Amino acid sequence: DAIMLLRLTPDRSLLERLTFDGRPLPTVLIHADRQQYPTPIIANVVPDHRAISDDLAGWLLRRPHIRGRRSSKVVMVSMRVEKESACFPRLGDVERSIRNERIARIWAALDGFKRVRMTVPDYGFRNALEVWKAHPNADAYVCLSDQLAAAIKHLLIAGRHARDWSHRVVGFDGSELAREEAIASFSQKLELVGDLALHRLCDFLAENRERQVPIWPTEDQKEIKIPVEFLS
């Protein structure tokens, strides 16, 4: 009766196959690239990154060892920018890839600091040691995963910043690991994704139950944005 695609960005050939008995199957995307999707896409659930830059810059400027020092060295640890899909028209001037948009907004938040970007092959904790070796005396580390942030925290504790590690590390995911390690982190509120996706799908199916030809949503109705929340 319906399809959900989790972290998959469809192309035109895939959309053409999302049918049953010749009828298009309503499809919900979760964290797919942000584009103008045609029928049968009825929704794309995406994180709303707009608050990231202000939240992160404000947090950094409130750190005791950074306050008033724009020369502070801040290291951003992320994967490489990924190649964006270009199968469908853009949505204005936004980044198509939610990963690329996230990286761009965090990098923008560090403008004015002595910012350094370090790329890692993945977001696993094992990459933290290379970051530490390359930048052992950074004033802050902004990691795009909680695993990396937790590992950096432990390296700080083992080094000379044991007392003030909490002022130096930011993660991303708002995961249970971040809560257990008391690390500042950005939450994508993943607990809301399933509810919002299912509500949109169930509403569509209910509204079109008796219709021979379904009423498909307009382009501006398709994106479901979930604000990213900074947990400090």
Side-chain angles (χ1 to χ4, degrees):
D1 297 304
I3 301 286
M4 279 194 179
L5 298 179
L6 177 60
R7 290 189 175 182
L8 296 172
T9 296
D11 57 19
R12 292 187 183 278
S13 64
L14 176 57
L15 293 189
E16 290 170 358
R17 296 198 297 272
L18 300 181
T19 62
F20 181 75
D21 284 346
R23 294 180 292 106
L25 290 171
T27 301
V28 174
L29 307 178
I30 295 176
H31 287 198
D33 281 1
R34 300 180 64 193
Q35 305 180 91
Q36 297 182 40
Y37 291 102
T39 303
I41 303 301
I42 62 170
N44 184 17
V45 183
V46 296
D48 185 344
H49 293 132
R50 287 177 294 181
I52 283 180
S53 291
D54 288 344
D55 287 346
L56 178 56
W59 184 86
L60 288 168
L61 290 171
R62 291 193 298 272
R63 300 308 91 197
H65 65 296
I66 291 178
R67 188 181 297 123
R69 292 178 56 237
R70 277 293 191 171
S71 61
S72 298
K73 180 180 179 180
V74 182
V75 178
M76 181 183 78
V77 188
S78 74
M79 291 177 63
R80 295 185 183 279
V81 171
E82 63 185 0
K83 184 178 180 180
E84 295 187 337
S85 169
C87 292
F88 305 104
R90 298 181 68 93
L91 282 173
D93 60 353
V94 301
E95 297 270 1
R96 295 174 188 262
S97 162
I98 59 175
R99 176 190 290 175
N100 293 354
E101 182 192 14
R102 181 181 306 151
I103 291 171
R105 288 189 179 274
I106 290 175
W107 187 245
L110 307 184
D111 187 26
F113 296 102
K114 184 181 177 182
R115 58 184 181 177
V116 177
R117 180 176 177 185
M118 186 163 180
T119 58
V120 290
D122 58 65
Y123 285 133
F125 73 92
R126 64 180 59 86
N127 296 302
L129 184 57
E130 291 303 313
V131 177
W132 172 258
K133 287 179 178 178
H135 306 285
N137 298 313
D139 294 294
Y141 302 85
V142 181
C143 305
L144 272 80
S145 82
D146 287 338
Q147 278 200 35
L148 280 169
I152 291 289
K153 167 195 168 178
H154 287 208
L155 290 168
L156 288 170
I157 291 173
R160 64 185 183 86
H161 296 306
R163 293 184 178 180
D164 63 346
W165 64 262
S166 64
H167 295 300
R168 296 176 182 271
V169 184
V170 178
F172 201 102
D173 287 332
S175 65
E176 184 176 350
L177 175 63
R179 292 191 292 274
E180 290 174 349
E181 295 287 340
I183 294 170
S185 182
F186 287 96
S187 169
Q188 299 184 78
K189 298 183 180 178
L190 298 181
E191 68 278 4
L192 298 179
V193 170
D195 284 344
L196 292 173
L198 283 171
H199 278 309
R200 176 64 61 86
L201 181 57
C202 291
D203 287 346
F204 177 87
L205 294 174
E207 291 169 1
N208 291 286
R209 183 175 294 115
E210 307 299 328
R211 299 179 185 273
Q212 292 294 321
V213 179
I215 298 177
W216 298 94
T218 60
E219 188 57 47
D220 60 357
Q221 295 173 326
K222 290 182 181 179
E223 273 208 339
I224 302 175
K225 296 179 182 178
I226 302 179
V228 170
E229 181 182 8
F230 188 51
L231 306 174
S232 59

